[in-house]
Amino acid sequence: MTKILFQSLPDHILKLIKSIGAYADQRNVSAYLVGGIVRDLILGKENLDIDIVLEVNAIDFAKTFAKENGFSFVAHSKFMTASMHQENNIRIDFTTARKESYSSSGALPDVSPATIQADLFRRDFTMNAIAVSINKGKFGEIVDFYDGQGDLEQRKIRVFHDKSFIDDPTRILRAIRFEQRFDFELDVDTMNILKDTLEQDIIYNVTLGRYFEEFKKICEEQSPAKCLRRLFSLKILQKIFPDFSLDEDRLKLIESIEIYLSVSKLENFPVSRWLVYFMAFVDDLSLKDTKNLLDKFLIPKKDQKKIISLKTQREIIERLCYEKMRPSQIQKVLSDLSNEEIIFFSCRNNNPSVSKCIDNFLDHYRWATLSISGEDLKEIGFKDGKRIGVILEYLLAKKIDGKIKTKKDELREAEKEFYTRSL
Ligand code: CTP
């Protein structure tokens, strides 16, 4: 059983988990793997988010383990948690087994040390509340007080009590995200509790920033469109994000974005997926309303800039639809835009000739450069730095338009410019 449970973990990760278990033995501490990774191990899916719960102060434990094993270490005293990482992207989170109480709905919880049983009970859904012992003598033993395995088998998402969504309304988005990701169902009582909570103003006690973190996670799912459509049909999106533009056309646009992002080769084209989806939801808002929303969502300034630019660039982009432009002109229009804006415009315009322009730009001349530099122009006789810049830009446009090809062509064209202008 142990072997089967851990078969989707790479050997070096399994070895690391075992060494944490052995370290816990030396200190006479009970240690468990918990949360999403256990759920996914049981489902046979890959997950490398290692969450360990200890029935002892996790900060002291993790600090010494990290020091002795060459990990960097960060503690979060308020929540009695710590994380350690290595440069090769391995990250392990340690939590002190704890119970939580919520002073008000949506507030961050007050936490106090507890047993593993109480720790599992404070969690969102039974399927996320299964633990696996990692102490040496008990390695791989499943600890499942609330029949999470039964719910996984029956493909059910179930909360522990009828205040679960009130305590933490962000769980509403999580429930639907997991429902769609695994193709599970919310158990009938859980769905009723969810709908009941949705009717209460309590859901607005949570900061939009926290909902927004969940929105981003939805955008990282394999099919965000399916999940967003489901949230729309349950009227959850409308309640939680009342400022978004939401209608059938918007959902279709979201579907086009999902297709674009899944079929395009984006290795050399870094994209924040959530940003492209977000653009669809704010596209119809005025600049003022958009700016308000960005502040409410606590969106970082660098991302805010891309969304605001989307509004101001709209007319320039529209030109691609009706003007016949040379490739160099298209390059001029598009090269100032972020990758996210380019993808968004390509999907939104739904116009084959615009998509073709954009694809051509991305595939052929987004990164076009000259073979010569300012130094070559100086050798020809150009002196003024500003003028050199203008000539380089002129030559690049000619190259993009296919009028010159080789380094020789570039030099010949530069000389021609120099002699005709200095006559
Ligand atoms: N958790 C919770 N309530 C929340 C968020 C998290 O009870 N609002 C608990 C769940 O037990 C969850 C664990 O904390 O499994 C880890 O949270 P997170 O990493 O966000 O979720 P995963 O279940 O690992 O989901 P994913 O596969 O999307 O990373």
Short mmCIF file of all heavy atoms in Angstrom, two decimals, residues 297-343:
data_model
loop_
_atom_site.label_atom_id
_atom_site.label_comp_id
_atom_site.label_asym_id
_atom_site.label_seq_id
_atom_site.Cartn_x
_atom_site.Cartn_y
_atom_site.Cartn_z
N PHE A 297 -8.76 45.26 -5.65
CA PHE A 297 -8.22 43.90 -5.77
C PHE A 297 -6.75 43.80 -5.34
O PHE A 297 -6.18 42.72 -5.38
CB PHE A 297 -8.32 43.40 -7.22
CG PHE A 297 -9.68 42.91 -7.59
CD1 PHE A 297 -10.09 42.88 -8.91
CD2 PHE A 297 -10.55 42.44 -6.64
CE1 PHE A 297 -11.34 42.42 -9.28
CE2 PHE A 297 -11.81 41.97 -6.98
CZ PHE A 297 -12.21 41.97 -8.30
N LEU A 298 -6.17 44.93 -4.97
CA LEU A 298 -4.75 44.96 -4.55
C LEU A 298 -3.85 44.39 -5.64
O LEU A 298 -2.91 43.63 -5.36
CB LEU A 298 -4.55 44.15 -3.25
CG LEU A 298 -5.46 44.48 -2.07
CD1 LEU A 298 -5.19 43.54 -0.90
CD2 LEU A 298 -5.28 45.93 -1.62
N ILE A 299 -4.15 44.74 -6.88
CA ILE A 299 -3.34 44.23 -7.99
C ILE A 299 -2.01 44.99 -8.06
O ILE A 299 -2.01 46.22 -7.98
CB ILE A 299 -4.13 44.34 -9.31
CG1 ILE A 299 -5.29 43.36 -9.22
CG2 ILE A 299 -3.26 44.07 -10.53
CD1 ILE A 299 -6.16 43.27 -10.40
N PRO A 300 -0.89 44.28 -8.17
CA PRO A 300 0.41 44.97 -8.19
C PRO A 300 0.49 46.01 -9.30
O PRO A 300 -0.09 45.83 -10.38
CB PRO A 300 1.41 43.83 -8.45
CG PRO A 300 0.69 42.57 -8.13
CD PRO A 300 -0.78 42.83 -8.30
N LYS A 301 1.26 47.06 -9.03
CA LYS A 301 1.33 48.19 -9.96
C LYS A 301 1.74 47.78 -11.38
O LYS A 301 1.20 48.27 -12.36
CB LYS A 301 2.32 49.25 -9.43
CG LYS A 301 1.78 50.03 -8.26
CD LYS A 301 0.81 51.15 -8.71
CE LYS A 301 0.21 51.88 -7.53
NZ LYS A 301 -1.22 51.81 -7.35
N LYS A 302 2.70 46.85 -11.48
CA LYS A 302 3.19 46.48 -12.82
C LYS A 302 2.07 45.82 -13.65
O LYS A 302 1.98 46.02 -14.85
CB LYS A 302 4.43 45.59 -12.74
CG LYS A 302 4.21 44.21 -12.19
CD LYS A 302 5.46 43.37 -12.40
CE LYS A 302 5.38 41.92 -12.01
NZ LYS A 302 4.18 41.27 -11.61
N ASP A 303 1.19 45.08 -12.98
CA ASP A 303 0.06 44.47 -13.70
C ASP A 303 -1.03 45.50 -13.97
O ASP A 303 -1.68 45.48 -15.02
CB ASP A 303 -0.51 43.30 -12.89
CG ASP A 303 0.51 42.18 -12.73
OD1 ASP A 303 1.30 41.98 -13.68
OD2 ASP A 303 0.53 41.52 -11.69
N GLN A 304 -1.20 46.44 -13.02
CA GLN A 304 -2.19 47.51 -13.23
C GLN A 304 -1.87 48.26 -14.52
O GLN A 304 -2.75 48.58 -15.30
CB GLN A 304 -2.14 48.50 -12.06
CG GLN A 304 -2.69 47.97 -10.78
CD GLN A 304 -3.19 49.08 -9.86
OE1 GLN A 304 -3.33 50.22 -10.26
NE2 GLN A 304 -3.49 48.73 -8.63
N LYS A 305 -0.56 48.50 -14.74
CA LYS A 305 -0.14 49.27 -15.91
C LYS A 305 -0.60 48.59 -17.20
O LYS A 305 -1.06 49.23 -18.14
CB LYS A 305 1.39 49.37 -15.93
CG LYS A 305 1.89 50.72 -15.50
CD LYS A 305 3.36 50.75 -15.32
CE LYS A 305 4.11 51.16 -16.57
NZ LYS A 305 5.55 51.21 -16.30
N LYS A 306 -0.50 47.24 -17.22
CA LYS A 306 -0.88 46.51 -18.44
C LYS A 306 -2.38 46.62 -18.68
O LYS A 306 -2.83 46.69 -19.82
CB LYS A 306 -0.50 45.03 -18.30
CG LYS A 306 0.99 44.80 -18.23
CD LYS A 306 1.29 43.32 -18.10
CE LYS A 306 2.78 43.09 -17.90
NZ LYS A 306 3.10 41.69 -17.63
N ILE A 307 -3.15 46.62 -17.60
CA ILE A 307 -4.61 46.66 -17.76
C ILE A 307 -5.05 48.07 -18.19
O ILE A 307 -5.92 48.24 -19.04
CB ILE A 307 -5.31 46.22 -16.46
CG1 ILE A 307 -4.94 44.77 -16.17
CG2 ILE A 307 -6.82 46.36 -16.56
CD1 ILE A 307 -5.17 44.33 -14.76
N ILE A 308 -4.39 49.06 -17.63
CA ILE A 308 -4.75 50.44 -17.98
C ILE A 308 -4.33 50.72 -19.43
O ILE A 308 -5.06 51.33 -20.20
CB ILE A 308 -4.12 51.43 -16.99
CG1 ILE A 308 -4.86 51.26 -15.67
CG2 ILE A 308 -4.21 52.86 -17.48
CD1 ILE A 308 -4.21 51.90 -14.49
N SER A 309 -3.17 50.17 -19.80
CA SER A 309 -2.71 50.36 -21.17
C SER A 309 -3.71 49.76 -22.16
O SER A 309 -3.98 50.30 -23.23
CB SER A 309 -1.32 49.73 -21.32
OG SER A 309 -1.13 49.19 -22.57
N LEU A 310 -4.31 48.64 -21.77
CA LEU A 310 -5.32 47.98 -22.60
C LEU A 310 -6.42 48.96 -22.99
O LEU A 310 -6.91 48.99 -24.11
CB LEU A 310 -5.90 46.84 -21.76
CG LEU A 310 -7.00 46.00 -22.29
CD1 LEU A 310 -6.39 44.98 -23.22
CD2 LEU A 310 -7.71 45.26 -21.15
N LYS A 311 -6.80 49.80 -22.04
CA LYS A 311 -7.88 50.75 -22.28
C LYS A 311 -7.41 51.84 -23.25
O LYS A 311 -8.14 52.25 -24.13
CB LYS A 311 -8.26 51.46 -20.97
CG LYS A 311 -8.67 50.53 -19.89
CD LYS A 311 -10.16 50.42 -19.88
CE LYS A 311 -10.59 49.08 -19.38
NZ LYS A 311 -11.92 48.73 -19.74
N THR A 312 -6.16 52.31 -23.01
CA THR A 312 -5.73 53.45 -23.80
C THR A 312 -5.27 53.03 -25.20
O THR A 312 -5.28 53.83 -26.12
CB THR A 312 -4.61 54.21 -23.06
OG1 THR A 312 -3.65 53.25 -22.66
CG2 THR A 312 -5.12 54.91 -21.83
N GLN A 313 -4.87 51.78 -25.36
CA GLN A 313 -4.37 51.32 -26.66
C GLN A 313 -5.49 50.83 -27.57
O GLN A 313 -5.26 50.50 -28.72
CB GLN A 313 -3.40 50.15 -26.49
CG GLN A 313 -2.17 50.45 -25.67
CD GLN A 313 -1.16 51.25 -26.46
OE1 GLN A 313 -1.24 51.31 -27.67
NE2 GLN A 313 -0.24 51.88 -25.78
N ARG A 314 -6.69 50.72 -27.02
CA ARG A 314 -7.76 50.07 -27.76
C ARG A 314 -7.93 50.63 -29.19
O ARG A 314 -8.00 49.87 -30.15
CB ARG A 314 -9.06 50.23 -26.99
CG ARG A 314 -10.24 49.58 -27.65
CD ARG A 314 -11.49 50.07 -27.00
NE ARG A 314 -11.51 49.69 -25.60
CZ ARG A 314 -12.49 49.03 -25.04
NH1 ARG A 314 -13.53 48.69 -25.74
NH2 ARG A 314 -12.47 48.73 -23.77
N GLU A 315 -7.93 51.97 -29.30
CA GLU A 315 -8.18 52.54 -30.63
C GLU A 315 -7.05 52.24 -31.60
O GLU A 315 -7.29 51.98 -32.77
CB GLU A 315 -8.36 54.04 -30.52
CG GLU A 315 -9.79 54.37 -30.16
CD GLU A 315 -9.90 55.69 -29.45
OE1 GLU A 315 -9.16 56.62 -29.82
OE2 GLU A 315 -10.71 55.78 -28.50
N ILE A 316 -5.84 52.25 -31.08
CA ILE A 316 -4.70 51.97 -31.96
C ILE A 316 -4.84 50.56 -32.51
O ILE A 316 -4.65 50.31 -33.70
CB ILE A 316 -3.37 52.11 -31.18
CG1 ILE A 316 -3.30 53.49 -30.55
CG2 ILE A 316 -2.19 51.84 -32.08
CD1 ILE A 316 -2.10 53.73 -29.67
N ILE A 317 -5.20 49.66 -31.61
CA ILE A 317 -5.34 48.26 -32.03
C ILE A 317 -6.47 48.10 -33.05
O ILE A 317 -6.37 47.34 -34.01
CB ILE A 317 -5.62 47.38 -30.79
CG1 ILE A 317 -4.34 47.21 -30.00
CG2 ILE A 317 -6.17 46.03 -31.17
CD1 ILE A 317 -3.34 46.34 -30.68
N GLU A 318 -7.55 48.85 -32.83
CA GLU A 318 -8.68 48.73 -33.76
C GLU A 318 -8.23 49.01 -35.20
O GLU A 318 -8.80 48.48 -36.15
CB GLU A 318 -9.81 49.71 -33.40
CG GLU A 318 -10.30 49.59 -31.97
CD GLU A 318 -11.25 48.43 -31.75
OE1 GLU A 318 -12.25 48.39 -32.44
OE2 GLU A 318 -10.96 47.59 -30.88
N ARG A 319 -7.17 49.83 -35.34
CA ARG A 319 -6.69 50.15 -36.69
C ARG A 319 -6.28 48.88 -37.44
O ARG A 319 -6.38 48.81 -38.66
CB ARG A 319 -5.49 51.11 -36.63
CG ARG A 319 -5.90 52.51 -36.26
CD ARG A 319 -4.71 53.42 -36.08
NE ARG A 319 -3.77 53.34 -37.19
CZ ARG A 319 -2.49 53.69 -37.11
NH1 ARG A 319 -2.00 54.11 -35.97
NH2 ARG A 319 -1.71 53.59 -38.15
N LEU A 320 -5.81 47.89 -36.69
CA LEU A 320 -5.41 46.64 -37.35
C LEU A 320 -6.60 46.01 -38.09
O LEU A 320 -6.43 45.25 -39.03
CB LEU A 320 -4.91 45.62 -36.33
CG LEU A 320 -3.55 45.85 -35.67
CD1 LEU A 320 -3.27 44.74 -34.68
CD2 LEU A 320 -2.46 45.89 -36.71
N CYS A 321 -7.80 46.33 -37.62
CA CYS A 321 -8.99 45.71 -38.21
C CYS A 321 -9.32 46.31 -39.57
O CYS A 321 -9.83 45.62 -40.44
CB CYS A 321 -10.20 45.89 -37.32
SG CYS A 321 -10.03 45.17 -35.73
N TYR A 322 -9.11 47.63 -39.71
CA TYR A 322 -9.60 48.20 -40.96
C TYR A 322 -8.53 48.83 -41.84
O TYR A 322 -8.80 49.21 -42.96
CB TYR A 322 -10.75 49.20 -40.70
CG TYR A 322 -10.44 50.27 -39.69
CD1 TYR A 322 -9.74 51.41 -40.06
CD2 TYR A 322 -10.87 50.16 -38.37
CE1 TYR A 322 -9.47 52.39 -39.13
CE2 TYR A 322 -10.60 51.14 -37.43
CZ TYR A 322 -9.89 52.26 -37.82
OH TYR A 322 -9.61 53.24 -36.90
N GLU A 323 -7.33 48.99 -41.35
CA GLU A 323 -6.29 49.56 -42.21
C GLU A 323 -5.39 48.48 -42.73
O GLU A 323 -5.10 47.53 -42.02
CB GLU A 323 -5.44 50.54 -41.39
CG GLU A 323 -6.03 51.91 -41.29
CD GLU A 323 -5.13 52.83 -40.49
OE1 GLU A 323 -3.91 52.63 -40.49
OE2 GLU A 323 -5.69 53.72 -39.84
N LYS A 324 -4.95 48.65 -43.99
CA LYS A 324 -3.97 47.69 -44.48
C LYS A 324 -2.59 48.21 -44.09
O LYS A 324 -2.17 49.24 -44.57
CB LYS A 324 -4.13 47.56 -46.01
CG LYS A 324 -3.26 46.52 -46.61
CD LYS A 324 -4.04 45.65 -47.61
CE LYS A 324 -3.20 44.51 -48.14
NZ LYS A 324 -2.66 43.66 -47.12
N MET A 325 -1.95 47.55 -43.20
CA MET A 325 -0.66 48.07 -42.70
C MET A 325 0.49 47.21 -43.15
O MET A 325 0.35 45.99 -43.30
CB MET A 325 -0.67 48.05 -41.18
CG MET A 325 -1.54 49.06 -40.54
SD MET A 325 -1.10 49.10 -38.79
CE MET A 325 -2.47 49.90 -38.13
N ARG A 326 1.63 47.89 -43.30
CA ARG A 326 2.85 47.13 -43.60
C ARG A 326 3.30 46.42 -42.31
O ARG A 326 3.02 46.93 -41.22
CB ARG A 326 3.96 48.08 -44.06
CG ARG A 326 3.74 48.66 -45.45
CD ARG A 326 5.04 49.26 -45.98
NE ARG A 326 5.58 50.28 -45.10
CZ ARG A 326 5.18 51.55 -45.09
NH1 ARG A 326 4.25 51.95 -45.94
NH2 ARG A 326 5.71 52.42 -44.26
N PRO A 327 4.05 45.29 -42.47
CA PRO A 327 4.51 44.60 -41.25
C PRO A 327 5.24 45.53 -40.29
O PRO A 327 5.06 45.45 -39.07
CB PRO A 327 5.46 43.53 -41.80
CG PRO A 327 4.94 43.24 -43.17
CD PRO A 327 4.38 44.55 -43.69
N SER A 328 6.03 46.49 -40.83
CA SER A 328 6.78 47.37 -39.92
C SER A 328 5.83 48.27 -39.14
O SER A 328 6.10 48.63 -37.99
CB SER A 328 7.78 48.23 -40.70
OG SER A 328 7.10 49.02 -41.64
N GLN A 329 4.69 48.64 -39.74
CA GLN A 329 3.73 49.48 -39.01
C GLN A 329 3.04 48.64 -37.92
O GLN A 329 2.79 49.13 -36.82
CB GLN A 329 2.68 50.04 -39.97
CG GLN A 329 3.26 51.08 -40.93
CD GLN A 329 2.24 51.47 -41.99
OE1 GLN A 329 1.70 50.62 -42.69
NE2 GLN A 329 2.01 52.77 -42.11
N ILE A 330 2.77 47.39 -38.27
CA ILE A 330 2.14 46.51 -37.27
C ILE A 330 3.09 46.32 -36.09
O ILE A 330 2.70 46.38 -34.93
CB ILE A 330 1.78 45.15 -37.90
CG1 ILE A 330 0.74 45.37 -38.99
CG2 ILE A 330 1.27 44.17 -36.86
CD1 ILE A 330 0.44 44.16 -39.84
N GLN A 331 4.36 46.14 -36.44
CA GLN A 331 5.38 45.98 -35.39
C GLN A 331 5.39 47.19 -34.45
O GLN A 331 5.47 47.06 -33.25
CB GLN A 331 6.75 45.77 -36.06
CG GLN A 331 7.93 46.42 -35.41
CD GLN A 331 8.65 45.46 -34.47
OE1 GLN A 331 8.36 44.28 -34.45
NE2 GLN A 331 9.57 45.98 -33.70
N LYS A 332 5.25 48.37 -35.05
CA LYS A 332 5.25 49.61 -34.24
C LYS A 332 4.05 49.64 -33.28
O LYS A 332 4.18 50.02 -32.13
CB LYS A 332 5.20 50.81 -35.18
CG LYS A 332 6.17 51.87 -34.76
CD LYS A 332 6.28 52.94 -35.79
CE LYS A 332 6.79 54.14 -35.10
NZ LYS A 332 7.82 54.74 -35.03
N VAL A 333 2.90 49.19 -33.81
CA VAL A 333 1.69 49.20 -32.97
C VAL A 333 1.82 48.18 -31.84
O VAL A 333 1.49 48.46 -30.69
CB VAL A 333 0.45 48.85 -33.84
CG1 VAL A 333 -0.77 48.63 -32.96
CG2 VAL A 333 0.19 49.96 -34.84
N LEU A 334 2.33 46.99 -32.18
CA LEU A 334 2.27 45.90 -31.20
C LEU A 334 3.45 45.83 -30.24
O LEU A 334 3.33 45.29 -29.15
CB LEU A 334 2.13 44.55 -31.92
CG LEU A 334 0.83 44.34 -32.70
CD1 LEU A 334 0.83 42.97 -33.36
CD2 LEU A 334 -0.38 44.45 -31.78
N SER A 335 4.60 46.40 -30.68
CA SER A 335 5.77 46.13 -29.85
C SER A 335 5.74 46.84 -28.50
O SER A 335 6.47 46.46 -27.60
CB SER A 335 7.06 46.47 -30.61
OG SER A 335 7.02 47.81 -30.94
N ASP A 336 4.86 47.83 -28.34
CA ASP A 336 4.77 48.48 -27.03
C ASP A 336 3.81 47.76 -26.08
O ASP A 336 3.66 48.15 -24.93
CB ASP A 336 4.24 49.92 -27.19
CG ASP A 336 5.33 50.81 -27.73
OD1 ASP A 336 6.50 50.42 -27.64
OD2 ASP A 336 4.99 51.89 -28.26
N LEU A 337 3.13 46.74 -26.60
CA LEU A 337 2.11 46.09 -25.77
C LEU A 337 2.71 44.92 -24.99
O LEU A 337 3.66 44.28 -25.43
CB LEU A 337 0.97 45.55 -26.64
CG LEU A 337 0.22 46.55 -27.51
CD1 LEU A 337 -0.97 45.87 -28.15
CD2 LEU A 337 -0.25 47.72 -26.67
N SER A 338 2.10 44.64 -23.84
CA SER A 338 2.54 43.47 -23.06
C SER A 338 2.05 42.20 -23.77
O SER A 338 1.10 42.25 -24.58
CB SER A 338 1.94 43.53 -21.67
OG SER A 338 0.53 43.46 -21.74
N ASN A 339 2.68 41.08 -23.46
CA ASN A 339 2.26 39.80 -24.04
C ASN A 339 0.78 39.53 -23.75
O ASN A 339 0.05 39.01 -24.60
CB ASN A 339 3.09 38.65 -23.45
CG ASN A 339 4.55 38.79 -23.84
OD1 ASN A 339 4.88 39.57 -24.73
ND2 ASN A 339 5.42 38.05 -23.17
N GLU A 340 0.36 39.87 -22.54
CA GLU A 340 -1.03 39.61 -22.15
C GLU A 340 -2.00 40.41 -23.02
O GLU A 340 -3.02 39.90 -23.47
CB GLU A 340 -1.25 39.97 -20.67
CG GLU A 340 -0.56 39.04 -19.69
CD GLU A 340 0.91 39.40 -19.45
OE1 GLU A 340 1.39 40.41 -20.04
OE2 GLU A 340 1.58 38.69 -18.68
N GLU A 341 -1.66 41.69 -23.28
CA GLU A 341 -2.54 42.52 -24.12
C GLU A 341 -2.62 41.95 -25.53
O GLU A 341 -3.70 41.91 -26.13
CB GLU A 341 -2.00 43.94 -24.20
CG GLU A 341 -2.22 44.77 -22.96
CD GLU A 341 -1.37 46.03 -23.01
OE1 GLU A 341 -0.18 45.95 -22.62
OE2 GLU A 341 -1.88 47.06 -23.45
N ILE A 342 -1.47 41.51 -26.05
CA ILE A 342 -1.46 40.99 -27.43
C ILE A 342 -2.39 39.79 -27.55
O ILE A 342 -3.22 39.70 -28.45
CB ILE A 342 -0.02 40.63 -27.85
CG1 ILE A 342 0.80 41.92 -27.97
CG2 ILE A 342 0.00 39.85 -29.16
CD1 ILE A 342 2.27 41.72 -28.25
N ILE A 343 -2.27 38.86 -26.59
CA ILE A 343 -3.13 37.67 -26.63
C ILE A 343 -4.60 38.09 -26.48
O ILE A 343 -5.48 37.62 -27.19
CB ILE A 343 -2.74 36.68 -25.52
CG1 ILE A 343 -1.36 36.12 -25.84
CG2 ILE A 343 -3.77 35.56 -25.38
CD1 ILE A 343 -0.83 35.16 -24.82
#
